[in-house]
Amino acid sequence: MKAEDAWGPRWVNCAHPLSHEFMRISSEKQSLVVLAADLPTVDGIVELIEELGDYVCALKTHVDMVEGFNMEEWRRVVDATRSKGMLLFEDRKFADIGRVAQTQMGGLYDIRSWADLVTSHSVSGPDVIDGIATAWDEVERIGGVLLLAQMSSSGNLLVEGYTESTLDIGKASPHVLGYIGNGSSVSELRELRSKVGDGRMIWTPGVNLSAEEGILGQRYGHPVEAVLAGSDAIIVGSGIHKSDDPLSAVREYASSSWGALLER
Ligand code: S5P
């Protein structure tokens, strides 16, 4: 199916080129799955990519979880991700002043050189986004930022007013591809979508086909309900990599999320 037919108004109204790249990949793979590869070793992540990559649109990493990190080893993750035709998404959750975010995009992990997407908090104001974008400029790469407008963790401080200010910051920046919306609450997601409109994406963690509650305050909702409420990507970690049969699990997440998009 052609991406523009599946995505309708989102295809027409999103401006960031990587949002179209994501929509194109999703239509090819018939999946809205973003895999949260929260594993401590490069070998483990590469294995996951090779086994599941055909059903995954973007690989989400926490690079600072990897034990004994070195860039040469990390290249294996980057290469495997590219060879499976996925976007690479570092969930760094930047939150500092612009200048510091810019330098943090370099440094040991050199995120600017391999990540297509990163997350950022908006708590420090809009300049954090410019810092991130400047770092991508320095290496002549295009990247996109997902701002945390909501969170899935219980007791988080991203209250309604904060969410609205975050959307104002996002609207003002061409680097903001979209927002993180809370998958554990259909009503919060619906509300978020009505405020965001069609011009930005909403990507959603806190979704699981079976678990009701995660560990340490993580909350879950159903991925199909999240997509029907307006979410464009489901970010799934343990629901897939902790499953007894990760391949069947990823297939299930892929087909149910894609079906929900078509229904929407
Ligand atoms: O509010 C949030 C935002 C994010 S990006 N809640 C989250 O859980 N995440 C991330 O999504 C989190 O860092 C983790 O990598 C993933 C959820 O993993 P799961 O194992 O609970 O599916």
Side-chain angles (χ1 to χ4, degrees):
M1 181 173 220
K2 279 167 76 180
E4 46 266 63
D5 297 332
W7 285 93
R10 207 78 82 243
W11 180 268
V12 176
N13 292 292
C14 283
H16 200 293
L18 290 176
S19 62
H20 294 103
E21 184 65 8
F22 174 80
M23 290 186 264
R24 200 189 50 70
I25 296 169
S26 75
S27 305
E28 232 171 71
K29 298 188 177 180
Q30 310 215 324
S31 165
L32 305 188
V33 173
V34 174
L35 178 61
D38 294 338
L39 300 180
T41 67
V42 164
D43 281 346
I45 298 173
V46 169
E47 247 170 62
L48 215 55
I49 295 170
E50 274 161 9
E51 190 186 356
L52 311 177
D54 293 342
Y55 301 90
V56 176
C57 301
L59 187 82
K60 188 177 84 63
T61 54
H62 283 294
V63 68
D64 53 0
M65 266 185 195
V66 173
E67 288 157 12
F69 174 89
N70 73 75
M71 202 59 199
E72 215 172 295
E73 274 277 287
W74 187 250
R75 278 274 140 220
R76 293 175 48 217
V77 170
V78 179
D79 293 345
T81 302
R82 302 279 174 244
S83 79
K84 286 289 185 184
M86 296 185 278
L87 292 170
L88 192 43
F89 172 21
E90 167 57 24
D91 188 7
R92 172 62 178 75
K93 297 188 177 75
F94 289 100
D96 215 310
I97 60 170
R99 175 184 59 79
V100 169
Q102 179 187 346
T103 29
Q104 287 171 323
M105 283 283 280
L108 174 63
Y109 302 119
D110 205 26
I111 295 167
R112 62 186 179 172
S113 73
W114 49 266
D116 303 305
L117 301 166
V118 298
T119 44
S120 177
H121 284 293
S122 52
V123 65
S124 60
D127 293 318
V128 66
I129 302 165
D130 294 329
I132 295 166
T134 305
W136 270 317
D137 280 348
E138 286 167 343
V139 293
E140 300 181 339
R141 294 187 69 247
I142 290 173
V145 177
L146 285 147
L147 288 180
L148 284 115
Q150 297 174 337
M151 288 195 77
S152 63
S153 44
S154 61
N156 73 74
L157 305 181
L158 282 65
V159 294
E160 207 179 323
Y162 180 95
T163 299
E164 280 169 16
S165 306
T166 300
L167 302 190
D168 289 340
I169 290 175
K171 269 181 214 141
S173 173
H175 308 296
V176 172
L177 169 136
Y179 304 97
I180 297 296
N182 170 23
S184 74
S185 165
V186 174
S187 61
E188 276 182 38
L189 268 181
R190 227 181 254 123
E191 181 84 11
L192 183 65
R193 175 49 77 194
S194 77
K195 287 176 182 156
V196 168
D198 283 317
R200 309 283 158 134
M201 310 214 93
I202 297 174
W203 288 24
T204 296
V207 287
N208 197 299
L209 282 166
S210 51
E212 260 145 43
E213 211 178 303
I215 46 174
L216 294 172
Q218 174 72 304
R219 301 173 298 180
Y220 290 115
H222 199 283
V224 166
E225 284 176 15
V227 175
L228 293 177
S231 156
D232 301 312
I234 53 164
I235 298 174
V236 190
S238 22
I240 295 172
H241 66 72
K242 284 231 161 68
S243 153
D244 294 337
D245 183 354
L247 184 60
S248 304
V250 74
R251 282 185 169 141
E252 214 175 322
Y253 280 95
S255 67
S256 59
S257 58
W258 180 250
L261 176 75
L262 297 186
E263 190 180 333
R264 187 175 87 196

